[in-house]
Amino acid sequence: GFPVFAWKGESEDDFWWCIDRCVNVEGWQPNMILDDGGDLTHWIYKKYPNMFKKIKGIVEESVTGVHSCGILIFFFSFFLSLKRTTDMMFGGKQVVVCGYGEVGKGCCAALKAMGSIVYVTEIDPICALQACMDGFRLVKLNEVIRQVDIVITCTGNKNVVTREHLDRMKNSCIVCNMGHSNTEIDVASLRTPELTWERVRSQVDHVIWPDGKRIVLLAEGRLLNLSCSTVPTFVLSITATTQALALIELYNAPEGRYKQDVYLLPKKMDEYVASLHLPTFDAHLTELTDEQAKYLGLNKNGPFKPNYYRC
């Protein structure tokens, strides 16, 4: 096998070097790509575009892409990360969560369970309405930035928290990212001579303004749950099984089944992965009768939901 490269605390340059070492192997040509977040695909496209001539397909999973049952996953990973890095009490704290997709919903659920006062920002009226119906106050970031104790980005976008926002935050405000890579918080704007960086402990920096105000930046704006905690092995088992099945499907697919396009995992495959993990809970599925299946217009063995359905 090939060596795997990565280490805690690696720099941006180190990160891309590691990916290059996994790809740039003399006499070796991949025929499939298994990716998480799109970085490997991006690097091959940028540096070794000729490799794509022999690549049959790409399997990709992403925090900010399609992520089934993301609420459950992010409830645990977000909760553990924030508790581990801050050691603070969350009851009564004012928190703004930017984005109410699968990740944002999980973060808000965790915060609500801990007794926090939660605000949500959204650009999508449907997600915004969901946040309101779940009992969260929908605001613009500018409206609450001076008063909140914690800012969490979960949008998948870039420059959601700008230098202007950072300048207006109150003393000791905690800033962290649960969204896309390190693009959501404009961390680069903080690396200027008038601001002082103080490393408090691993993954925790104080950024200090000339007047003494400081914000607490976690994981330098990188994904908090990947930098500061681990994902439960059970969740990893589900995602790894799903990706392995997707790889097998792509590799064995006859010519013409898949065009040059992006495909969601077929619902039947999602259901199969779920069924493989049910015995862990000693769970027993109810089976449809022939009459019930006919009434619903379903095959007794699934799929039970349309492809667009998300849990």
Side-chain angles (χ1 to χ4, degrees):
F2 296 105
V4 176
F5 298 90
W7 58 89
K8 211 165 184 66
E10 65 186 9
S11 68
E12 184 88 4
D13 289 340
D14 293 337
F15 172 78
W16 292 113
W17 178 86
C18 291
I19 287 179
D20 189 72
R21 287 299 300 270
C22 291
V23 176
N24 187 15
V25 180
E26 191 176 344
W28 176 75
Q29 163 69 49
N31 54 22
M32 303 286 287
I33 294 177
L34 179 63
D35 209 349
D36 183 353
D39 294 314
L40 176 62
T41 305
H42 167 78
W43 188 256
I44 293 177
Y45 177 78
K46 180 181 171 184
K47 294 288 186 181
Y48 310 103
N50 286 335
M51 281 190 175
F52 278 107
K53 292 175 182 176
K54 294 187 179 179
I55 288 174
K56 293 190 67 170
I58 300 164
V59 174
E60 151 73 12
E61 70 164 318
S62 173
V63 165
T64 53
V66 177
H67 206 309
S68 299
C69 301
I71 294 175
L72 178 67
I73 295 168
F74 286 101
F75 184 100
F76 288 114
S77 61
F78 162 77
F79 177 85
L80 287 170
S81 302
L82 209 49
K83 291 289 280 185
R84 186 172 294 176
T85 50
T86 62
D87 296 321
M88 70 179 292
M89 184 182 76
F90 292 88
K93 290 290 190 296
Q94 296 193 57
V95 187
V96 59
V97 176
C98 302
Y100 202 68
E102 294 302 317
V103 179
K105 287 180 175 73
C107 291
C108 288
L111 291 160
K112 189 175 185 178
M114 291 187 285
S116 299
I117 301 159
V118 184
Y119 303 98
V120 171
T121 73
E122 248 303 338
I123 60 159
D124 181 333
I126 292 177
C127 292
L129 184 59
Q130 288 173 336
C132 293
M133 298 286 283
D134 288 339
F136 301 111
R137 174 90 184 276
L138 192 81
V139 298
K140 292 183 178 180
L141 189 55
N142 280 334
E143 296 170 355
V144 295
I145 199 66
R146 288 188 184 278
Q147 70 194 62
V148 292
D149 302 294
I150 307 172
V151 178
I152 304 163
T153 55
C154 311
T155 70
N157 206 339
K158 65 183 290 189
N159 294 337
V160 176
V161 176
T162 64
R163 175 61 190 266
E164 183 185 352
H165 293 128
L166 294 157
D167 284 339
R168 294 175 60 205
M169 288 175 187
K170 71 179 187 182
N171 187 46
S172 297
C173 182
I174 295 169
V175 188
C176 61
N177 170 37
M178 281 290 290
H180 186 60
S181 188
N182 59 349
T183 62
E184 303 218 14
I185 302 163
D186 187 7
V187 175
S189 71
L190 296 175
R191 301 204 182 271
T192 52
E194 77 275 11
L195 301 182
T196 305
W197 284 62
E198 187 179 280
R199 175 54 57 98
V200 179
R201 59 177 179 271
S202 177
Q203 310 297 342
V204 182
D205 289 294
H206 284 184
V207 183
I208 307 165
W209 269 250
D211 64 358
K213 181 198 93 167
R214 64 182 62 203
I215 65 165
V216 182
L217 180 64
L218 304 184
E220 297 183 63
R222 295 186 300 276
L223 257 171
L224 183 65
N225 68 317
L226 300 184
S227 301
C228 306
S229 76
T230 56
V231 178
T233 53
F234 185 75
V235 172
L236 288 175
S237 176
I238 293 171
T239 57
T241 304
T242 303
Q243 286 197 289
L245 287 174
L247 273 177
I248 293 167
E249 167 64 21
L250 275 180
Y251 186 78
N252 290 331
E255 189 86 24
R257 177 181 290 179
Y258 297 106
K259 314 295 182 195
Q260 286 192 3
D261 204 348
V262 177
Y263 293 85
L264 296 184
L265 194 77
K267 185 59 60 182
K268 183 66 181 167
M269 208 176 286
D270 254 341
E271 291 174 354
Y272 177 59
V273 173
S275 69
L276 291 175
H277 288 79
L278 283 175
T280 304
F281 302 99
D282 191 26
H284 305 273
L285 274 177
T286 301
E287 293 182 11
L288 291 172
T289 65
D290 291 336
E291 185 183 11
Q292 289 173 325
K294 184 178 179 182
Y295 178 76
L296 293 174
L298 296 175
N299 185 307
K300 283 180 68 172
N301 300 313
F304 300 99
K305 295 288 190 296
N307 266 333
Y308 60 77
Y309 178 82
R310 294 287 131 195
C311 54

